[in-house]
Amino acid sequence: MTPMLLFIIQSILILTMPIVLSRVARIGSFMPLVVVQILVGIILGPTVFGYYFPDAQHLLFPPEALAPLSGISSIAILLFGFTTGLHLDRRILAQGTRGHLLIAVASTLVPGVTGALGAAWLVAHYPEILVSEGHSLRLCIAIGIATGVTALPVLGAILRELKLIDSRVGSMALFMATVSDVALWLLLGALLIGTSEDGDWGTFALRIAMFPAYLAVMMLMIRPALQRLTGRIAADGPLPGRVLVFIFVVSLASGAATEAMGLHYLIGAFIAGVVTPENLRRHLLDRLEELTVSILIPFFFLLTGLRTTIDFTSTLFLAIFLVGTAASVSGKFVGTVLAARVVGEPWRVALGLGSLLQTKGLVEVILLTILLEHRIITPVMFSGMVLMAVTTTALATPLFWLCARLIGGVRPAESNPASLKA
């Protein structure tokens, strides 16, 4: 079998299996596509396909044939970071009240604290989860970040499926996911800068100094340049190909800058999306988002699945999965619901937010991949937390419907396109 033929066969499997499971097996009726894509990656890895058919798995995915998949995966992650930045609508942030900001902080901080405490318990009982001795604090911080995540793009897809994208509870959920995403990447950047393995304090200080300078360049130079460029584009016309290429190069350069600073290129791509002018965002999302999520991201999930081993006979794996899931679900739900009630939101809104904000999906898997690549977490911790991400994301929709049945759901008066302040 030639390398090109093998690559084509791999691509057909990667792209068609999620659709088959979603449509034929009807999994898509209760599970977001991104969760199905993650499950397909796990199925094709050592957990299922490699366990029952090791020879066939090695034939289809030999180590030497993974380089092309890795290249596509890297482009997928970069574009996903860029489109996630495009989703951060500053108008949504501007509409939030102090009460909504308090809910957003609680919905991120409480599960972060419970996740960090859960990680501390795991370290005390299973010290082998540490990459190296003495790094328990950074592991606890990393798991706290992971359990505090709410994936904005996946949440948006679920809200569209539930026809809540224009409702008040939907707008509030998007606001809180936006705050969570901003906090996530800032905390992750601080963690990566602060966990340099080179031991060179001069390099560490240089990285600390370079990051604000990089942000200043992006905000004060790149953003105005993009605004001047978009001023020449018709508001209702198609986006010229040369403009699309130029913006993609900007996101690549931004990713290269953060990678050079010891961060991850996804952070740079995310910031490039954030500084992109508003009148360009819808054009870019229309051109890039479907391609990224439906065509490119499955390649990343395959590579994720190849490094994920789900072993329910392992006490350590089960402990990581159960502690991570319990900390994430309970912390996110309790923190969100209590904060919403404190600021005067009715039970139906509070419970709806606590359910919808469980989504982690692709953002969580990418975060865990970065932590694994930087040797902050071990492979077994990675596998357990990937399964946690799948579980919590799959729980969001049924948990929302359960709460809606118990409390009465979102009232018609709240299902209008009013702003968060309405």
Side-chain angles (χ1 to χ4, degrees):
M1 188 182 301
T2 66
M4 181 52 67
L5 178 58
L6 179 60
F7 174 73
I8 293 173
I9 294 173
Q10 291 171 340
S11 301
I12 292 172
L13 282 173
I14 294 166
L15 295 176
T16 57
M17 281 188 66
I19 304 300
V20 170
L21 286 176
S22 293
R23 300 293 183 182
V24 178
R26 299 187 180 276
I27 293 178
S29 61
F30 60 90
M31 192 176 292
L33 178 61
V34 65
V35 176
V36 181
Q37 291 172 333
I38 297 172
L39 287 176
V40 167
I42 294 174
I43 289 170
L44 291 174
T47 298
V48 180
F49 190 41
Y51 181 81
Y52 292 103
F53 308 99
D55 293 337
Q57 206 259 358
H58 181 76
L59 179 66
L60 277 175
F61 304 107
E64 64 273 12
L66 298 182
L69 299 176
S70 179
I72 296 177
S73 173
S74 298
I75 294 297
I77 295 174
L78 188 141
L79 282 175
F80 180 79
F82 180 63
T83 55
T84 300
L86 292 175
H87 273 289
L88 292 186
D89 193 335
R90 283 182 290 276
R91 291 171 297 181
I92 291 179
L93 289 175
Q95 289 174 344
T97 64
R98 290 183 181 179
H100 298 133
L101 182 60
L102 174 63
I103 303 172
V105 171
S107 70
T108 303
L109 183 61
V110 175
V113 172
T114 57
L117 292 175
W121 184 89
L122 287 170
V123 169
H125 290 80
Y126 303 96
E128 61 268 30
I129 66 171
L130 291 174
V131 173
S132 56
E133 189 175 352
H135 285 166
S136 58
L137 178 59
R138 74 174 187 175
L139 174 66
C140 292
I141 294 173
I143 299 306
I145 294 173
T147 51
V149 168
T150 294
L152 179 61
V154 178
L155 174 63
I158 291 176
L159 289 173
R160 284 190 291 273
E161 290 175 6
L162 296 175
K163 295 181 172 54
L164 290 173
I165 195 69
D166 290 326
S167 69
R168 185 167 180 270
V169 69
S171 298
M172 291 176 66
L174 288 174
F175 171 81
M176 284 139 205
T178 299
V179 173
S180 178
D181 267 13
V182 172
L184 161 69
W185 299 122
L186 290 176
L187 289 171
L188 179 61
L191 179 65
L192 296 181
I193 290 176
T195 55
S196 174
E197 295 285 351
D198 54 24
D200 186 346
W201 284 99
T203 302
F204 176 75
L206 181 62
R207 288 175 177 174
I208 293 293
M210 286 175 64
F211 191 66
Y214 155 77
L215 290 178
V217 169
M218 294 298 294
M219 293 299 299
L220 301 178
M221 296 179 63
I222 300 301
R223 179 173 171 79
L226 291 176
Q227 286 176 326
R228 289 193 295 271
L229 177 66
T230 57
R232 306 172 187 173
I233 301 172
D236 56 349
L239 188 67
R242 64 182 183 278
V243 175
L244 183 65
V245 171
F246 175 75
I247 295 173
F248 182 59
V249 170
V250 168
S251 67
L252 285 172
S254 181
T258 54
E259 184 77 19
M261 284 185 280
L263 302 176
H264 193 275
Y265 61 86
L266 179 140
I267 296 176
F270 172 78
I271 293 172
V274 171
V275 304
T276 300
E278 283 74 8
N279 58 337
L280 260 181
R281 294 187 177 209
R282 180 44 52 194
H283 287 290
L284 291 168
L285 285 172
D286 289 342
R287 297 283 290 270
L288 296 176
E289 188 167 39
E290 198 61 40
L291 170 69
T292 303
V293 173
S294 300
I295 306 298
L296 299 179
I297 283 299
F299 289 89
F300 166 74
F301 286 139
L302 171 69
L303 294 180
T304 300
L306 292 177
R307 65 175 69 174
T308 302
T309 302
I310 295 176
D311 182 8
F312 288 111
T313 64
S314 167
T315 304
L316 176 58
F317 174 84
L318 282 175
I320 293 170
F321 167 64
L322 293 174
V323 170
T325 303
S328 179
V329 173
S330 63
K332 183 74 71 173
F333 193 81
V334 173
T336 303
V337 171
L338 290 183
R341 291 294 294 156
V342 166
V343 301
E345 295 293 340
W347 276 109
R348 57 186 175 276
V349 173
L351 293 173
L353 291 173
S355 305
L356 293 169
L357 295 180
Q358 299 292 338
T359 55
K360 297 189 182 299
L362 177 57
V363 173
E364 176 80 356
V365 177
I366 291 177
L367 167 65
L368 294 171
T369 301
I370 295 173
L371 295 175
L372 181 65
E373 290 174 349
H374 283 78
R375 300 189 72 253
I376 296 175
I377 62 175
T378 58
V380 66
M381 176 65 80
F382 172 82
S383 298
M385 295 297 285
V386 165
L387 186 59
M388 179 275 290
V390 174
T391 303
T392 55
T393 306
L395 275 175
T397 300
L399 186 59
F400 174 82
W401 284 121
L402 176 62
C403 291
R405 283 181 175 273
L406 293 175
I407 303 299
V410 180
R411 290 182 179 176
E414 292 174 344
S415 297
N416 57 65
S419 71
L420 293 178
K421 294 180 181 178

